[in-house]
Amino acid sequence: MKYSEISHFSHPQHKLRYEFTEFPFKCDGCKEAGIGSRFRCSTCDFDLHQHCAVPSPYSLHHPFYTKCSFQFFSRPPGDVPRYCNACGRDVAGFLYHCRDCGFDLHPCCAKLPVVIDDGEVKLYLYRKVSSPCHRCGRKGRSWSYRSTCKKYNLHVACVKDMLVENWADLCSNVNEHRYVGSRSVNIVGSDRECYGFRKSKGKVKKCCEVAGLGVQFIVAAVLGDPTALIAGLVGILISKG
């Protein structure tokens, strides 16, 4: 179900309006990066991923954890620091938590598509893979997307690391142009600060050049909007990195 405007407990001052943005943003719910579909209060500069704004109303079940029943929480339970079992990053805000098993998932990680199809190559989400990641060279760090031929593998955690390390580049690169179909559209400038994330040139581009892989689709899925339009846009941003 799609909503054009919602009231949300995390921001009772104003309603949040659904919009589509080409600018990277930081979600005020889960505290993770996002792009594309979001719910926003422009008055307060408050943003939520769609998955954070409209969570599953009942228990969430994931094929990787068949015995778990995940409930939505607005903050991590308990006093012990928690991490996402999908990407390995800290949980600092909204999450899905299984009381019985103690597993935690960021909302966007919980909703990662099991299959991503870029029209030529299919990428499958795995909890564990035996082959090394093309970015970090390690195995078993987090969930991974792997190609059908099993030659190419990219950790979900590494995708998030790429975004953090290159956030400032993404914010600046989006200022110039973007292409929608055959039209070139000018962009005025980013309406978000870059959050002081450090830059690391070349790493993102290197990952995107893995032969035959639409890595931009993986990036878009991790950002919370695995659509062809967002995937293409992220690919353009990365190519300029």
Side-chain angles (χ1 to χ4, degrees):
M1 182 181 295
K2 294 232 176 159
Y3 304 89
S4 59
E5 193 175 70
I6 63 170
S7 297
H8 201 273
F9 69 87
S10 65
H11 192 72
Q13 304 94 310
H14 307 101
K15 288 188 176 182
L16 305 180
R17 184 176 295 277
Y18 175 84
E19 67 177 35
F20 179 93
T21 178
E22 64 268 23
F23 298 115
F25 65 89
K26 186 174 182 180
C27 176
D28 290 294
C30 67
K31 315 304 181 186
E32 294 289 303
I35 198 170
S37 300
R38 67 178 173 180
F39 282 87
R40 174 171 174 79
C41 172
S42 57
T43 302
C44 302
D45 193 24
F46 184 90
D47 300 300
L48 292 178
H49 288 120
Q50 185 171 359
H51 294 318
C52 290
V54 189
S56 298
Y58 307 107
S59 297
L60 182 144
H61 298 276
H62 198 279
F64 289 170
Y65 303 103
T66 56
K67 296 182 179 180
C68 290
S69 178
F70 291 92
Q71 306 291 330
F72 181 81
F73 283 71
S74 60
R75 63 178 61 183
D79 300 323
V80 180
R82 310 193 69 85
Y83 69 93
C84 175
N85 287 92
C87 67
R89 288 170 58 85
D90 292 340
V91 173
F94 293 1
L95 75 155
Y96 284 99
H97 173 72
C98 176
R99 288 189 175 94
D100 294 332
C101 301
F103 293 139
D104 301 296
L105 297 173
H106 290 125
C108 287
C109 289
K111 299 297 182 69
L112 284 172
V114 177
V115 181
I116 296 178
D117 188 352
D118 73 351
E120 296 182 1
V121 177
K122 285 188 178 181
L123 306 169
Y124 292 87
L125 184 65
Y126 288 86
R127 185 178 176 183
K128 293 181 180 180
V129 295
S130 58
S131 56
C133 171
H134 272 79
R135 181 180 188 272
C136 70
R138 291 183 286 170
K139 303 177 182 179
R141 182 186 179 194
S142 71
W143 294 3
S144 300
Y145 275 104
R146 187 170 68 174
S147 62
T148 308
C149 65
K150 300 183 180 180
K151 292 182 179 180
Y152 307 110
N153 171 50
L154 189 62
H155 289 142
V156 170
C158 287
V159 173
K160 290 201 171 185
D161 286 346
M162 289 192 306
L163 296 171
V164 170
E165 293 169 2
N166 292 272
W167 187 268
D169 284 338
L170 293 180
C171 288
S172 61
N173 284 342
V174 80
N175 290 341
E176 299 176 6
H177 292 86
R178 71 180 174 92
Y179 290 87
V180 180
S182 59
R183 296 185 298 113
S184 173
V185 181
N186 288 325
I187 294 176
V188 176
S190 176
D191 59 348
R192 303 287 293 182
E193 64 180 322
C194 294
Y195 298 98
F197 289 165
R198 62 189 177 88
K199 294 189 280 185
S200 179
K201 292 184 178 180
K203 291 183 180 178
V204 175
K205 186 174 181 180
K206 180 180 179 181
C207 271
C208 260
E209 290 174 348
V210 175
L213 273 180
V215 176
Q216 64 266 29
F217 280 79
I218 301 178
V219 177
V222 172
L223 285 169
D225 198 336
T227 64
L229 179 58
I230 282 297
L233 173 61
V234 173
I236 291 173
L237 298 183
I238 289 175
S239 70
K240 296 180 180 180

